[in-house]
Each structure stands twice: as C-alpha cells, then as structure tokens.
Amino acid sequence: GENVEQHPSTLSVQEGDSAVIKCTYSDSASNYFPWYKQELGKGPQLIIDIRSNVGEKKDQRIAVTLNKTAKHFSLHITETQPEDSAVYFCAANGNNRLAFGKGNQVVVIP
Amino acid sequence: SQTIHQWPATLVQPVGSPLSLECTVEGTSNPNLYWYRQAAGRGLQLLFYSIGIDQISSEVPQNLSASRPQDRQFILSSKKLLLSDSGFYLCAWSVIAGQGAAFFGQGTRLTVV
C-alpha cells in the first residue's frame, strides 16, 4: 500500500519567515495529495490539496508543489504568523483511503 | 453544506468498561466513513473504514469494533476497554473513497483509567 513520509518532524521558524515541509510517497498511482493543519485538541482541517495533473497550487500564503517523477510534494507557508503554529499532515491516496504522514510540528517564534 | 458531528468530546472510562463513540454526517448521502486513532505523538492510525452500510473494513486487529446502523452514522465500540485504548479518536468522511479529501470531526479524547 501507499507509504507517506514527512520531513522534518519539527520545524521552528521566525515570524515572517517561510516554512517548507516535504513529503514523499511510494505509490506512483497516487493522484491526490491533501495537506491538513491540526491545532491542539482539535481534528485536522484540510488547508490545501493538489491533484497530479498540476504541479503547483497556491492559496494566499500557502502553496503546494508536486513532483511526480520524484514522488514528493511540499507545503510552503510564506510570511509565517503565530497562528500558523500547529501540526501539519500530508497525505496521499491509495487503496480506497488516504495514507497520512506522521505529521510536522511547526512552531512560529514571535 | 456538509458537517460532521462527533461526541463526546472527552471521556474518562475505567478499564474493563464498555465504549461507544458516535459520529454522524449531515448534508451528504452515502459518505465513506472512517475511524482514526491518534495516540501519544502525532500519527493518524486508521482503525476502520466503511464505504456503505454493512460494509466495514478493519485495518488493525484490536479491542475495538465499528458499526454503521444508518447511512450517515458510524459507531466505534468496545466491550471491555484496555489502558492501551486511551487516545484521541477521530471520525472522518469523504465523498469518494481515496479520491478526495477526508473531513474530520473534532475528536474524542478517551482516557482509560
């Protein structure tokens, strides 16, 4: 089945700087890649997603890029703010479900 | 619009007691439904998924079971809780299994004492 790995596990950035989280996946048949943000004590919330027919998608300060050849995709957060501090999960589809990475703790330092 | 409800938000149960967590989805029909557990740390472990009534797949052998008595209702149960069942339980739904986003409920924090 699909195997998704996330790096780094923890990322600290200064407020205003950019944060980048990278995920790799194993199944070349995967064609849908969502990103989720989870705040403490809450369920994960979908923040952006990308399908394999495009290489990049942007929504205000967040963007996702996809490299199908290398089988990796990345989340980019620009002009980080304290409220961006959370755990971020990437996922890839396969076998009738989403396979999730283990999550990245992003800490934005004011 | 679609919404997902999960309750209770927190639960403290003694070892050996039964468990019933409920999840309902509104605003859609025939959703795919999922139960995840998030133990200490951050990983999401898929426990059960259902593509329709009476169609439930178990991902890992464990002390838990799932049922889907109605199209938009998904229940996670246990006859006798273990300490290791403690964790954060999340229900989720999607339109098409594995082809689109899954939308999560707010979770249930279960502590087995």
Side-chain angles (χ1 to χ4, degrees), chain A residues 86-98:
Chain A
V87 177
Y88 292 81
F89 290 95
C90 63
N93 65 330
N95 198 22
N96 290 325
R97 86 289 300 274
L98 293 175

Side-chain angles (χ1 to χ4, degrees), chain A residues 31-36 45-59 62-66 73-75 89-91 98, chain B residues 99-103:
Chain A
N31 59 7
Y32 177 68
F33 308 91
W35 282 92
Y36 290 82
Q45 297 294 307
L46 178 70
I47 56 172
I48 196 168
D49 55 10
I50 192 169
R51 294 194 182 273
S52 59
N53 57 344
V54 298
E56 183 175 0
K57 184 177 178 180
K58 189 174 181 180
D59 182 2
I62 60 173
V64 56
T65 57
L66 171 65
F73 56 112
S74 299
L75 178 71
F89 290 95
C90 63
L98 293 175
Chain B
Q99 293 300 318
F103 299 96

Side-chain angles (χ1 to χ4, degrees), chain A residues 8-10 31-32 34 36 38 41-46 49 51 87 89 93-98 100-105, chain B residues 32 34 36 38 41-44 46 49 51 57 59 88 90 93-94 96-107 109:
Chain A
S9 60
T10 303
N31 59 7
Y32 177 68
Y36 290 82
Q38 186 178 27
K42 298 184 179 181
Q45 297 294 307
L46 178 70
D49 55 10
R51 294 194 182 273
V87 177
F89 290 95
N93 65 330
N95 198 22
N96 290 325
R97 86 289 300 274
L98 293 175
F100 286 87
K102 293 190 182 302
N104 294 92
Q105 176 76 58
Chain B
N32 296 287
Y34 310 85
Y36 288 86
Q38 193 172 30
R42 300 186 289 265
L44 293 167
L46 180 62
Y49 74 95
I51 62 173
S57 298
E59 287 295 295
F88 192 48
L90 290 156
W93 74 275
S94 68
I96 302 173
Q99 293 300 318
F103 299 96
F104 288 86
Q106 287 303 296
R109 172 70 62 189

